[in-house]
Amino acid sequence: TNPYGRTKLFIEEIMRDMHTADSEWRIILLRYFNPVGAHPSGRIGEDPVGIPNNLMPFVQQVAVGRRKELSVFGADYNTPDGTGVRDYIHVMDLAEGHIAAVNKLNSTPDIGCVAYNLGTGQGTSVLQLVKAFEKASGKNIPYKICERRPGDCAEVYAATDTALMQLGWRAKRTIDQACEDSWR
């Protein structure tokens, strides 16, 4: 429903075509679902220059006073609190997912071209994420409810069964841990 998602889809199709044209190619496609968090040491994290592209940096910028409030796009979705629900995966789980994919690629000569969803398989609403960040940071995150953005879905989260069965991988960290590590 957005240009980013369509671009990812087209790239996957190009990679599949490449494998079809030359079966020597061994390809694993990783589909990320909203990476958040930081390395637990606090030494590696996210502090985007300019306007962020994701929710978590906006929340962080409100917490440190760089922004006055968070804009929440839509509060009338058919979700528990009316806000959009997404699958937020801790970046350390994502890194471990990459390792599992490389191990699979190295151990499976005839892998072909396969896709794996790297997410938690569970959704967290915008307001649930805000509350988790408030708890982690001890800061109040003011927000205002705005109109929905065109193309936004009520809920988007990963089907992770294939990653578990074929890679032996699953996300282990919680949204609370992601918020705590982001705050460091």
Side-chain angles (χ1 to χ4, degrees), residues 12-147:
E12 283 190 12
E13 290 303 317
I14 290 168
M15 300 304 287
R16 285 186 182 93
D17 289 348
M18 198 162 77
H19 174 71
T20 299
D22 182 354
S23 62
E24 293 293 312
W25 279 94
R26 298 165 48 242
I27 301 168
I28 291 182
L29 307 166
L30 298 177
R31 298 172 179 155
Y32 298 1
F33 283 74
N34 301 291
V36 293
H39 189 273
S41 70
R43 296 180 63 182
I44 303 171
E46 183 175 26
D47 186 14
V49 176
I51 299 171
N53 292 317
N54 307 313
L55 176 62
M56 182 66 86
F58 277 109
V59 172
Q60 292 168 302
Q61 288 181 359
V62 172
V64 298
R66 200 179 302 167
R67 292 182 183 275
K68 180 179 128 189
E69 62 190 1
L70 177 70
S71 294
V72 176
F73 296 100
D76 59 347
Y77 290 104
N78 187 18
T79 62
D81 63 18
T83 64
V85 171
R86 299 292 180 268
D87 188 336
Y88 298 99
I89 178 174
H90 194 295
V91 293
M92 296 305 297
D93 283 325
L94 189 59
E96 291 166 1
H98 276 259
I99 292 167
V102 169
N103 289 340
K104 179 72 171 180
L105 198 59
N106 288 336
S107 67
T108 313
D110 61 343
I111 195 154
C113 181
V114 296
Y116 297 104
N117 295 331
L118 299 185
T120 65
Q122 301 190 13
T124 300
S125 76
V126 172
L127 292 182
Q128 287 172 325
L129 187 138
V130 167
K131 286 181 185 10
F133 199 87
E134 286 177 333
K135 179 181 168 192
S137 67
K139 303 280 186 177
N140 180 48
I141 307 296
Y143 63 87
K144 66 178 177 182
I145 303 297
C146 302
E147 293 294 315

